Amino acid sequence: MSTGTVTEAGPGTPGVASRLESSDLLDNPAEWRPVTTPAGVFQLVPVRLERDLAVISRWMNDPAVAAFWELGGEEAVTAAHLGPQLEGDGRSVPCLGVLSGVPMSYWEIYRADLDPLARHYPARPNDTGLHLLIGGVSDRGRGIGTTLLRAVSDLVLDNRPQCARVVAEPDLRNTPSVSAFLSAGFRFSAEVELPDKQAALMIRDRAHRAQL
């Protein structure tokens, strides 16, 4: 998968939507309720290509995002990245992050134990991974990434009872991203060499979720 990054100094066809909503590999993120965070009410909304492609592509062309996601260019580039997830079996669900009614971030909630990432670390059944980018420059560099990482990892643990831990693999060069994960309650587990980057394996354990 493409590398998910916190860039913070920080409707698809009805058939596609129904496949996402009916898949139980991730316990139906489309049904996860909004949560109240210090930054406002936040909700994950599964991506619909015809509705969301333009805004996601615009975010991908922000230089701070493109440096790590490497999906800059025409909308077709972003569409090619989203397509396999939207047409797949539900092991990765792309979502917009909507804060106080405004789409402001892009998320991928994925089964890390079923992802190529599992070849590079000691994966456990139902490990759930996060990729994130913050779309608006005004939302970066003031702690919103940390707030939302904690909120979304809590959502995963609340809605996926078989998941014992949430994982992420930001690029080691992206120090603001690594810092945001640490501040959100993740721990640095290992340095992992992936095909496209040297990553920091970050883990938030259910058993330690109350700890910062």
Side-chain angles (χ1 to χ4, degrees):
M1 298 184 70
S2 178
T3 176
T5 302
V6 181
T7 49
E8 167 182 332
T13 67
V16 167
S18 65
R19 282 198 294 276
L20 285 177
E21 293 167 2
S22 64
S23 173
D24 61 1
L25 286 176
L26 284 161
D27 297 290
N28 302 311
E31 298 178 0
W32 297 359
R33 296 179 178 276
V35 293
T36 300
T37 78
V41 176
F42 178 81
Q43 184 172 16
L44 289 173
V45 178
V47 165
R48 294 184 178 179
L49 199 62
E50 65 196 39
R51 180 191 64 195
D52 303 324
L53 177 60
V55 68
I56 297 172
S57 179
R58 175 164 54 82
W59 292 341
M60 291 296 184
N61 279 281
D62 182 309
V65 175
F68 295 102
W69 283 76
E70 299 181 347
L71 290 173
E74 301 295 326
E75 288 185 1
V77 176
T78 300
H81 175 75
L82 294 170
Q85 297 178 79
L86 295 171
E87 297 164 8
D89 61 5
R91 68 183 62 196
S92 179
V93 178
C95 297
L96 287 183
V98 179
L99 184 64
S100 300
V102 179
M104 48 71 67
S105 54
Y106 170 73
W107 299 76
E108 292 171 353
I109 315 298
Y110 69 99
R111 282 286 297 270
D113 60 323
L114 304 178
D115 188 82
L117 174 64
R119 305 185 192 121
H120 301 278
Y121 83 105
R124 299 178 186 172
N126 286 289
D127 276 357
T128 303
L130 300 181
H131 293 152
L132 164 65
L133 70 83
I134 302 293
V137 174
S138 63
D139 289 323
R140 303 175 194 162
R142 53 194 188 95
I144 289 180
T146 292
T147 295
L148 298 186
L149 281 169
R150 188 168 184 86
V152 172
S153 56
D154 277 340
L155 276 170
V156 171
L157 296 172
D158 288 342
N159 289 281
R160 303 208 66 236
Q162 296 184 70
C163 172
R165 57 190 193 167
V166 182
V167 306
E169 19 77 31
D171 194 306
L172 270 173
R173 298 170 300 163
N174 192 344
T175 53
S177 178
V178 174
S179 177
F181 278 102
L182 290 170
S183 297
F186 287 73
R187 60 181 171 85
F188 175 81
S189 175
E191 186 173 319
V192 181
E193 187 171 350
L194 302 179
D196 58 347
K197 65 182 177 181
Q198 200 75 11
L201 180 65
M202 311 299 294
I203 297 177
R204 187 173 181 210
D205 301 279
R206 179 182 293 278
H208 304 129
R209 66 182 296 189
Q211 301 176 10
L212 285 175

